[in-house]
Amino acid sequence: RRAGRGQTMPRISRVLGSDASAATVVGPRLGDVTLEQVLRMQKDLYALFADDDFQNRLGALESRVGRASDNYTSEHTALFASVQDQVLPKYGFQRGQQGVREMLRVVAKFNDDERFVQNREMLNELLGLSRPAADDEERRAARVAAAQQQAQDDRPRAPRCLQGHPLEPFRTDHGSYTCDRCGASQVVGAAMHGCRRCDWDMCATCWGADADAAGEAVAECGALAGRRTARADSGAEA
């Protein structure tokens, strides 16, 4: 049907959907994109669409022109594109509406997958592209909150010691420091992070590595502290 501002309201599949008839343009071939990649793309889109800043902008737009399901406008297209243009290029699609058409063509082969369809419905509900039931607004708010919490949980954590103490930055004041993760000796004035309670230190190189490596640091912290205590005891006996 015709919607406001002279635009036709898009099919619900337009955000990440089932429009197999979209124009064929240059982009990933049908066999190049796997289901797992598409599911990750849906997750990435949902996380950014659920972001507070985006939801605030969407709420302001809906207060002026209404939900996209009732009055789809060029402003909706531009707002949705602000997220799509960040995510789609990571999966080989172009920026802009041409990239959206490429995506629609390629992902149409997954229309029979239950996970894909469920994610698509959640996206459309989040963006106001589907008509809400009486309790949909509450469910939408709950899903936004859950997605924001998941995004927070997915952020890399800074390394900590075995007891959960944060590693504080400092610069070495003598040349006897070594990194307890890689074993590298440190010069005077070297930047390090350390846990003074556990006497455990990490060099700048290891600190800048992938935060997932912090798990190794955590596992070693207690054992190293124990070995240091043992060495100190043996030295005292000597």
Side-chain angles (χ1 to χ4, degrees), residues 47-120:
L48 292 180
F49 282 138
D51 181 77
D52 280 338
D53 178 66
F54 181 88
Q55 285 295 310
N56 289 337
R57 287 187 290 156
L58 178 60
L61 176 60
E62 290 179 342
S63 68
R64 290 191 295 105
V65 303
R67 290 170 58 92
S69 60
D70 298 322
N71 182 33
Y72 189 84
T73 71
S74 60
E75 292 180 85
H76 289 97
T77 297
L79 180 59
F80 298 162
S82 69
V83 167
Q84 293 165 335
D85 285 351
Q86 295 182 58
V87 174
L88 268 59
K90 297 178 182 179
Y91 295 88
F93 300 103
Q94 301 181 46
R95 292 168 58 89
Q97 290 306 297
Q98 184 176 10
V100 174
R101 290 193 294 271
E102 293 174 6
M103 177 269 293
L104 293 173
R105 174 182 61 86
V106 171
V107 304
K109 64 181 179 179
F110 300 119
N111 286 336
D112 294 330
D113 183 84
E114 182 177 350
R115 292 173 298 171
F116 171 78
V117 173
Q118 182 180 33
N119 288 348
R120 185 181 67 209

Side-chain angles (χ1 to χ4, degrees), residues 174-195:
H174 57 77
S176 299
Y177 281 93
T178 60
C179 175
D180 289 315
R181 182 167 180 267
C182 70
S185 298
Q186 304 297 301
V187 299
V188 176
M192 298 190 75
H193 286 74
C195 172

